Amino acid sequence: MGRPRWLSAEEKRAWTAFRTTATLLHQRMDQQLKRDAGLSHLQYEILARLSGAPDGELRMAELACAVSNSKSGLTYQIGQLEQAGLVRRRACESDPRAVYAVLTDEGTALLEGAAPGHVALVRELLIDVLTPEQLRALADGLGEASRRMLADGDTSAGCL
Amino acid sequence: MGRPRWLSAEEKRAWTAFRTTATLLHQRMDQQLKRDAGLSHLQYEILARLSGAPDGELRMAELACAVSNSKSGLTYQIGQLEQAGLVRRRACESDPRAVYAVLTDEGTALLEGAAPGHVALVRELLIDVLTPEQLRALADGLGEASRRMLADGDTSAGCL
DNA sequence: GCGCTATCGTTCGAATTTGAACACCGGGTA
DNA sequence: TACCCGGTGTTCAAATTCGAACGATAGCGC
């Protein structure tokens, strides 16, 4: 990499907007979910992922990867959610090492109660602010960016 | 808000891509900065903000707001950076309550050393992945979204 | 079967973040 | 002057996150 290619004005504008939006959006989601359902944004995502999986269960490693969290971090959060009765652990019969996290009925109920408000906020703060062209560009551009980052397992430490 | 308007396929695609990109990007930045300069992403941003400010100094509250961090979190980080000699505190002569964080020469040097690699990574992982139209759409769309979030001080708890 | 490597989930201590007090002081107001 | 209000930065304990190390075990080649 020869001399650094600095960002043009528009590039810097895009980068700043991206960072700011990501940070503020995360804060707002956290706030709202904590208030409405007593969940952190991360916990909500965990439940949502489980809800979308067949039988409402996923292996710990898969789940950690899905929410881009470290293994130990997930162990901690599943512990919290289990205490709250929203999730339970299930041993895998074929592989004693593996553990499934399973969404309980309480978890499902809480998620269904929280989802509408969550979606509404996502709309209000991001989706409905964008024009259709901007929406498509965002989906395409960021989709490609995230795909690439997920692809090269070298730098990404596997899936953490 | 009557019944919830769920996200269309494309909307969900955009939202997922946004979240994933934000998370992964943050992880990569953190990794690279920690490796190359021994700084967390947050610490880098703090130094960068100071560097961009007149005289390389900002009040604690301004700085906290600029990097979207809580006051106490900033106190902690400035403490770390001060110990490392990258920043120092300066009392304000006109108002004894106020404290300025000032970028030291070491801080400037470290930042200048780290910046090229940082920018290169931003390019590689995001900017250069996007087409010019996508870049503009992202800058416009997310710029508007972040502006709106910063605007309504009600929900945003001021600047935290 | 034996040994080796990789994967799985957990554990542990340290680092960081959070949110609620807290002490301090400037600026108004009586 | 005395009083309160609002903003400033810090402190503190609790919650969370991180990263390395660990014990257990599957999968593979011999």
Side-chain angles (χ1 to χ4, degrees):
Chain A
M1 58 169 85
R3 92 177 57 85
R5 283 161 54 225
W6 296 105
L7 299 184
S8 72
E10 181 158 279
E11 288 166 344
K12 181 177 286 187
R13 197 161 64 88
W15 173 238
T16 306
F18 181 79
R19 288 243 72 223
T20 308
T21 306
T23 308
L24 294 181
L25 219 41
H26 179 66
Q27 284 178 350
R28 300 298 188 87
M29 302 280 118
D30 228 42
Q31 250 178 12
Q32 192 228 20
L33 286 170
K34 199 110 64 180
R35 178 165 50 73
D36 292 359
L39 294 172
S40 71
H41 195 183
L42 175 55
Q43 291 173 328
Y44 179 88
E45 288 228 45
I46 291 174
L47 297 185
R49 292 287 181 165
L50 286 176
S51 161
D55 292 329
E57 62 180 21
L58 280 174
R59 303 242 330 230
M60 295 295 281
E62 289 179 287
L63 192 47
C65 176
V67 300
S68 310
N69 215 241
S70 65
K71 287 185 303 171
S72 62
L74 187 66
T75 294
Y76 175 78
Q77 285 298 350
I78 292 292
Q80 298 297 104
L81 293 171
E82 198 171 23
Q83 270 196 308
L86 307 174
V87 152
R88 70 188 163 77
R89 284 177 219 250
R90 181 174 79 71
C92 174
E93 54 285 347
S94 66
D95 186 342
R97 292 173 303 177
V99 174
Y100 282 93
V102 191
L103 196 56
T104 65
D105 294 342
E106 288 94 336
T108 307
L110 186 65
L111 188 59
E112 285 175 356
H118 178 69
V119 174
L121 193 61
V122 172
R123 277 202 174 287
E124 179 193 335
L125 298 182
L126 183 65
I127 302 295
D128 287 352
V129 174
L130 305 174
T131 67
E133 304 84 51
Q134 288 172 345
L135 185 73
R136 172 192 305 280
L138 204 130
D140 290 346
L142 298 187
E144 177 61 19
S146 60
R147 232 181 329 280
R148 290 198 193 186
M149 284 191 273
L150 285 170
D152 67 323
D154 304 336
T155 322
S156 78
C159 240
L160 254 210
Chain B
M1 58 168 86
R3 90 177 59 84
R5 282 162 55 226
W6 295 105
L7 299 184
S8 72
E10 182 157 280
E11 288 167 345
K12 180 177 287 187
R13 197 161 65 88
W15 174 239
T16 306
F18 181 79
R19 289 242 70 222
T20 308
T21 306
T23 308
L24 294 180
L25 218 41
H26 179 65
Q27 284 179 351
R28 299 297 187 85
M29 302 280 119
D30 227 44
Q31 248 179 15
Q32 192 228 20
L33 286 169
K34 199 109 65 177
R35 179 166 50 74
D36 293 359
L39 293 173
S40 71
H41 194 185
L42 175 55
Q43 291 173 327
Y44 178 88
E45 289 227 44
I46 290 174
L47 297 185
R49 292 285 180 168
L50 286 177
S51 161
D55 293 327
E57 63 180 21
L58 281 172
R59 304 250 320 238
M60 295 295 281
E62 289 179 287
L63 192 47
C65 176
V67 300
S68 312
N69 217 245
S70 66
K71 287 185 302 173
S72 62
L74 187 67
T75 295
Y76 175 77
Q77 284 299 350
I78 292 294
Q80 298 297 105
L81 293 172
E82 198 172 23
Q83 269 197 309
L86 306 174
V87 153
R88 70 188 163 76
R89 283 177 220 251
R90 181 173 78 71
C92 175
E93 53 284 349
S94 65
D95 186 343
R97 292 173 302 177
V99 174
Y100 282 93
V102 192
L103 196 57
T104 65
D105 293 343
E106 288 94 336
T108 306
L110 186 64
L111 188 59
E112 285 176 356
H118 178 69
V119 174
L121 193 60
V122 172
R123 279 203 171 284
E124 179 193 335
L125 297 182
L126 183 66
I127 302 296
D128 287 352
V129 174
L130 304 174
T131 67
E133 305 84 49
Q134 288 171 345
L135 185 73
R136 173 190 306 278
L138 203 130
D140 290 346
L142 298 186
E144 177 61 18
S146 60
R147 233 181 329 281
R148 291 198 193 187
M149 283 191 274
L150 285 171
D152 68 324
D154 305 335
T155 323
S156 77
C159 238
L160 253 212

